[in-house]
């Protein structure tokens, strides 16, 4: 259920954002439209979770850590754009610039106060997974942990509270870029939404073991996000990108460690193939 939900969510959000420009003249209307679309998508997802539930704890954690925050984060983001743009007193000039500078200062202060100096923010940014069950399991909300009053309003059947915090991190980071683009004259009139790319014709055609070997090589070399991404997250992203299910990739990797011959057969093959290609194009 979870993977199909994730794929559907990504596709539907990408299709909607492909239509978005967020030009100054269109930002209010487009942000309002996206707010309604994402609210509907969140409600659909909530109903599906209530109806189908989760098959195990791993699926539940993945949903509240990675899937729901993507919808809610974009919802918060577009709602904030709508509120900022409808409150803007000018279309240009120094007053316009001052307004967005103040919004950026406000965002920086709020972000620093609520996230940057928190253990939870460091936990998320480091790609850790050891406290996932505490943060992303239903029924684990601790109202004495210093959380704000919002904790009393959340639906305990569709939130762990921390999924809401991840969503806010996503929203604030997107909003930071949006405001910076508004302050940069060269970027005005350009789209600040994620670019829509059709991945339907891109899929993995080599063996699963080959891809697992590549994933572990990138992880071991700390080539992605300075090594902060967990191997499971790299694997999940790769599965979505290349339209493949790797199954128990940990077990597959341990079998590679004890196989006869080269332990890095695919990487050896890549090296030889690249060298041949280079020599052919001299």
């Amino acid at each position: 259920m979870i993977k199909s939900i994730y794929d559907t969510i990504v596709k539907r959000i990408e299709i909607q954002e492909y239509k978005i420009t967020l030009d100054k003249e269109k930002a209010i209307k487009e942000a309002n439209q996206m707010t309604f679309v994402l609210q509907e998508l969140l409600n659909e997802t909530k109903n599906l979770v209530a109806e189908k539930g989760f098959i195990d704890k791993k699926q539940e954690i993945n949903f509240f850590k990675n899937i729901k925050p993507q919808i809610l984060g974009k919802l918060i983001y577009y709602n904030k754009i709508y509120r900022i743009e409808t409150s803007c007193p000018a279309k240009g000039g120094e007053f316009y610039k001052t307004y967005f500078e103040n919004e950026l200062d406000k965002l920086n202060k709020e972000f620093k106060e609520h996230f940057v100096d928190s253990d939870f923010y460091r936990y998320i940014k480091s790609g850790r997974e050891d406290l996932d069950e505490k943060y992303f399991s239903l029924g684990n909300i601790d109202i004495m942990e210093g959380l704000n009053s919002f904790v009393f309003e959340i639906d305990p059947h569709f939130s762990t509270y921390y999924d809401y915090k991840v969503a806010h991190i996503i929203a604030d980071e997107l909003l930071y870029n949006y405001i910076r683009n508004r302050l940069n004259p060269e970027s005005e009139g350009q789209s600040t939404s994620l670019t829509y790319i059709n991945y339907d014709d891109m899929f993995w055609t080599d063996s699963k073991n080959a891809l697992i070997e590549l994933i572990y090589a990138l992880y071991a070399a700390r080539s992605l996000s300075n090594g902060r991404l967990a191997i499971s997250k790299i694997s999940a992203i790769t599965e979505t990108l290349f339209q493949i299910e790797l199954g128990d990739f940990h077990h597959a990797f341990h079998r590679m460690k004890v196989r006869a011959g080269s332990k890095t057969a695919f990487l050896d093959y890549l090296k030889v193939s690249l060298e041949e290609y280079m020599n052919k194009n001299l």
Side-chain angles (χ1 to χ4, degrees), residues 10-34:
V10 169
K11 183 65 68 178
R12 287 178 65 179
I13 293 177
E14 282 181 344
I15 289 172
Q16 290 298 323
E17 287 193 313
Y18 180 59
K19 307 170 186 176
I20 299 296
T21 65
L22 292 182
D23 291 337
K24 278 198 293 186
E25 302 302 323
K26 299 178 181 178
I28 294 174
K29 181 179 178 181
E30 291 178 339
N32 192 41
Q33 289 173 342
M34 284 301 299

Side-chain angles (χ1 to χ4, degrees), residues 157-170:
H157 302 294
F158 192 61
S159 181
T160 69
Y161 180 81
Y162 287 96
D163 60 270
Y164 173 81
K165 297 196 80 170
V166 175
H168 259 282
I169 292 170
I170 292 171

Side-chain angles (χ1 to χ4, degrees), residues 115-128 169:
F115 296 113
V116 173
D117 294 330
S118 71
D119 291 336
F120 179 73
Y121 181 78
R122 286 189 285 270
Y123 177 85
I124 291 299
K125 284 302 179 181
S126 66
R128 286 170 53 190
I169 292 170

Side-chain angles (χ1 to χ4, degrees), residues 34-51:
M34 284 301 299
T35 299
F36 280 109
V37 168
L38 290 160
Q39 182 65 64
E40 181 181 349
L41 183 54
L42 187 64
N43 289 337
E44 287 179 19
T45 307
K46 181 178 181 179
N47 292 335
L48 191 58
V49 167
E51 179 185 347

Side-chain angles (χ1 to χ4, degrees), residues 14 41 68 168 203 228 243 249:
E14 282 181 344
L41 183 54
K68 182 189 171 188
H168 259 282
F203 47 91
R228 293 194 300 270
Q243 304 182 54
F249 60 92

Side-chain angles (χ1 to χ4, degrees), residues 35 74 93 108 162 179 185 189 227 260 262 282:
T35 299
K74 288 290 183 74
N108 283 329
Y162 287 96
I179 296 174
S262 174
L282 285 176

